[in-house]
Amino acid sequence: MTGATHRPDRPDPLDDDLGWMLGIVFRGYVRAAEHTLTDFPGGPRGYQLLTAAINGPSRNQGAIAEELGLDRTVLTYLIDDLERPGFVARRADPADRRNRLIDVTDAGRAAWEQRRSALRQVESHLLGSLSPADAATLRTLLQQVACSAQAVDPLRDFCEVVAQVQPTPAPTTSRTGAAPGRGGRTTAPRARRRDTD
């Protein structure tokens, strides 16, 4: 599979290497996503920040930085990038005026929805060799693995964000017996979010 000299009686070790498989898929997705988001304020990271901020109540910058695994200084620059075209607005936290809450504007929501549609096309192309049912199963399994990994080394509540922005898949029975979470997804324990700046 990985080389021109591949022989059926001698499988290529890379064909069974999880890191190699994840790397190929990840690099393909990143290249296409960067092209899709090339003129988006902050690029892919700016889009991820908007994704994190667009659902649920307003949160402070520290909570979003922790959720995305970003340095707070980097996050500040990304918020600046999104604030210039009017995609987000900062406001003082009524509970603690030293903190700033991030609100997504109507313009930001419209821009996010447009790019989300474009990224869905990227994802469909990347998963084009799978049937719709297999693609949905892959998403569910990847989310389960990602949330389990997050429980060990958490990026605060990112699994919840992913669950909120993904469409609800057709109901399936989990082979692990895990209880379905929001949107029919199985959930794994998550670290509790700290809303401090």
Side-chain angles (χ1 to χ4, degrees), residues 4-24:
T5 59
H6 176 69
R7 290 172 47 184
D9 60 326
R10 295 178 62 187
D12 190 324
L14 285 179
D15 292 351
D16 193 40
D17 185 278
L18 180 62
W20 177 81
M21 290 183 278
L22 290 174
I24 291 290

Side-chain angles (χ1 to χ4, degrees), residues 35-136:
H35 179 74
T36 301
L37 298 168
T38 186
D39 60 343
F40 194 83
R45 281 184 167 180
Y47 174 83
Q48 286 180 352
L49 193 161
L50 203 57
T51 300
I54 206 163
N55 290 288
S58 301
R59 284 175 294 146
N60 65 46
Q61 295 179 202
I64 294 175
E66 199 170 6
E67 179 177 291
L68 296 178
L70 292 176
D71 181 89
R72 292 186 187 195
T73 303
V74 172
L75 185 87
T76 299
Y77 289 126
L78 289 174
I79 294 171
D80 290 343
D81 289 342
L82 292 168
E83 200 171 30
R84 285 188 202 99
F87 289 176
V88 300
R90 292 176 172 102
R91 66 182 171 88
D93 184 347
D96 184 349
R97 297 190 66 81
R98 294 170 299 175
N99 292 336
R100 292 289 177 266
L101 300 179
I102 306 304
D103 292 321
V104 179
T105 65
D106 290 342
R109 188 171 295 275
W112 179 84
E113 288 174 352
Q114 180 187 44
R115 295 311 168 99
R116 186 64 193 139
S117 177
L119 283 173
R120 282 291 180 202
Q121 294 179 19
V122 168
E123 293 166 11
S124 295
H125 177 74
L126 192 65
L127 302 179
S129 63
L130 302 178
S131 69
D134 284 346

Side-chain angles (χ1 to χ4, degrees), residues 2 7-9 22 37 39 44 67-68 76-77 110 137 140 156 165 168 173-175 193 197:
T2 59
R7 290 172 47 184
D9 60 326
L22 290 174
L37 298 168
D39 60 343
E67 179 177 291
L68 296 178
T76 299
Y77 289 126
T137 298
T140 300
R156 307 290 179 182
V165 300
T168 303
T173 303
S174 172
R175 287 188 286 182
R193 183 175 65 220
D197 198 10

Side-chain angles (χ1 to χ4, degrees), residues 20-35:
W20 177 81
M21 290 183 278
L22 290 174
I24 291 290
V25 174
F26 177 72
R27 287 190 295 274
Y29 179 81
V30 166
R31 281 194 301 268
E34 286 178 346
H35 179 74

